[in-house]
Amino acid sequence: MKIFQKIFLILLSLFSFQCWRGTNTNATKNENFSAKRVAPVVVNPIVVNGIEYSVAINKVIASNPKTRAIYWKKEIYPIHYVEDLERDVQDIHIDSLYLRDTVLIIRNENKQFFELNLENQKVLLIKK
C-alpha cells in the first residue's frame, strides 16, 4: 500500500508541476515571445478656446471638453490596409500633437509631420 501512495504522490506532483508550468508548450520552448506591435503612445489632448482636440489613430477630433459632444473629426492621412494582414499591426498612429498659432502640428509613427489649420480644417503635409 505504501508503494501506491508514493507513486500517487509522485504522479500528483508531476501533474501539478505541469499545470503550474502551463499547457502552452510553445511558450515554454520560446521564452522570448512578444506582442506583434508596441502599444501606441498616449497623446494628451489640447484645449484651445474651449474646444478639445484629441487624436484617434490617424484622426483629430474636436469636441466639447465638458459635454464630450463631438464637433468634427478630420482624417489627417490615409492608411492603406493590406487585406490579408491584421489591421492593428498596420495602423499608423499619431504620436505627437502641439499647437502653433491657429495650427495643430501633428506627427505620426512614421515621422511624417502635418499641419491642421483649425480655422478651415485643411491638412498639409510639411515633412515626410
Side-chain angles (χ1 to χ4, degrees), residues 36-81:
K36 294 180 183 178
R37 137 175 210 110
V38 176
V41 175
V42 175
V43 179
N44 292 324
I46 294 176
V47 178
V48 180
N49 298 329
I51 299 175
E52 180 178 89
Y53 299 96
S54 57
V55 300
I57 305 177
N58 64 332
K59 296 175 182 64
V60 170
I61 302 165
S63 63
N64 184 313
K66 293 178 183 170
T67 65
R68 294 290 179 218
I70 295 175
Y71 300 128
W72 51 262
K73 293 180 184 180
K74 181 69 175 179
E75 182 179 85
I76 304 304
Y77 50 88
I79 300 174
H80 304 287
Y81 294 101

Side-chain angles (χ1 to χ4, degrees), residues 52-111:
E52 180 178 89
Y53 299 96
S54 57
V55 300
I57 305 177
N58 64 332
K59 296 175 182 64
V60 170
I61 302 165
S63 63
N64 184 313
K66 293 178 183 170
T67 65
R68 294 290 179 218
I70 295 175
Y71 300 128
W72 51 262
K73 293 180 184 180
K74 181 69 175 179
E75 182 179 85
I76 304 304
Y77 50 88
I79 300 174
H80 304 287
Y81 294 101
V82 176
E83 190 173 314
D84 295 339
L85 298 176
E86 294 179 28
R87 279 181 76 102
D88 64 332
V89 175
Q90 300 178 67
D91 285 337
I92 303 166
H93 290 263
I94 293 171
D95 66 0
S96 177
L97 179 70
Y98 65 93
L99 181 69
R100 185 180 65 204
D101 299 324
T102 60
V103 175
L104 283 177
I105 307 298
I106 301 154
R107 185 184 73 181
N108 68 16
E109 294 173 318
N110 288 348
K111 307 302 182 228

